[in-house]
């Protein structure tokens, strides 16, 4: 890893289902487990709510990586929300490849509310993967700064 990669602090967004990943993050926090502060958690009623445009919009607005974290397969409270989310993340990965970006900048995570330690492990591994990739060229294209200026 180069010095630039070592000092790079990525902006990472995690769209988290409130029934599982969001609760797992809470559990991790309650258990004093730590995960990278570069993760910005966005709570959702279900990952089925996350669509392709929202994921790409987060990237356009400065996210170097976007994770969608939903319930374990077969346990979505809205039956197929997490299945649809996985399909959308796959679509985003395809689109990223088509425009010449690394598809690893998008990731689907499946987790239960009781998996606080695994949540920490998953998001930490995602942040490390994004650090390896470096800043997303997409966030720079829109003129966004890395200080989080929103329009
Ligand atoms: Fe958790 Fe649908 S309710 S992913």
């Amino acid at each position: 890893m180069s010095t630039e990669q070592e000092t790079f602090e990525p902006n990472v967004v995690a769209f988290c289902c409130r029934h599982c990943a969001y609760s797992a993050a809470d559990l991790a926090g309650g258990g004093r487990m730590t995960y990278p502060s570069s993760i910005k958690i966005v709570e959702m009623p279900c990952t089925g709510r996350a669509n392709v445009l929202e994921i790409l919009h987060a990237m356009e607005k400065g996210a170097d990586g976007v994770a969608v974290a939903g319930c374990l397969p077969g346990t979505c409270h809205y039956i197929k929300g997490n299945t649809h989310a996985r399909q959308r993340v796959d679509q985003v990965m395809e689109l990223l490849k088509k425009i010449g970006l690394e598809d690893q900048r998008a990731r689907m995570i499946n987790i239960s509310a009781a998996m606080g330690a695994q949540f920490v492990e998953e998001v930490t591994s995602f942040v490390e993967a994004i650090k390896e990739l470096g800043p997303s060229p997409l966030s720079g294209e829109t003129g966004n700064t890395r200080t989080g200026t929103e329009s």
Side-chain angles (χ1 to χ4, degrees), residues 17 19-20 45-48 70-71 76-78 81-82:
C17 162
H19 297 286
C20 54
C46 169
T47 53
C71 298
C76 172
H77 292 233
Y78 302 93
N82 54 358

Side-chain angles (χ1 to χ4, degrees), residues 38-50:
S38 49
I39 295 264
K40 308 293 180 283
I41 293 181
V42 179
E43 182 186 8
M44 316 195 110
C46 169
T47 53
R49 167 74 177 71

Side-chain angles (χ1 to χ4, degrees), residues 74-113:
T75 65
C76 172
H77 292 233
Y78 302 93
I79 317 294
K80 289 194 171 181
N82 54 358
T83 306
H84 294 146
R86 179 166 293 279
Q87 289 164 347
R88 289 167 191 154
V89 169
D90 288 347
Q91 286 176 323
V92 168
M93 292 171 81
E94 281 304 312
L95 287 169
L96 290 176
K97 274 198 283 194
K98 280 184 183 163
I99 61 170
L101 288 180
E102 305 89 352
D103 60 353
Q104 304 98 306
R105 291 189 186 278
R107 184 180 289 189
M108 180 74 199
I109 295 170
N110 291 98
I111 207 151
S112 83

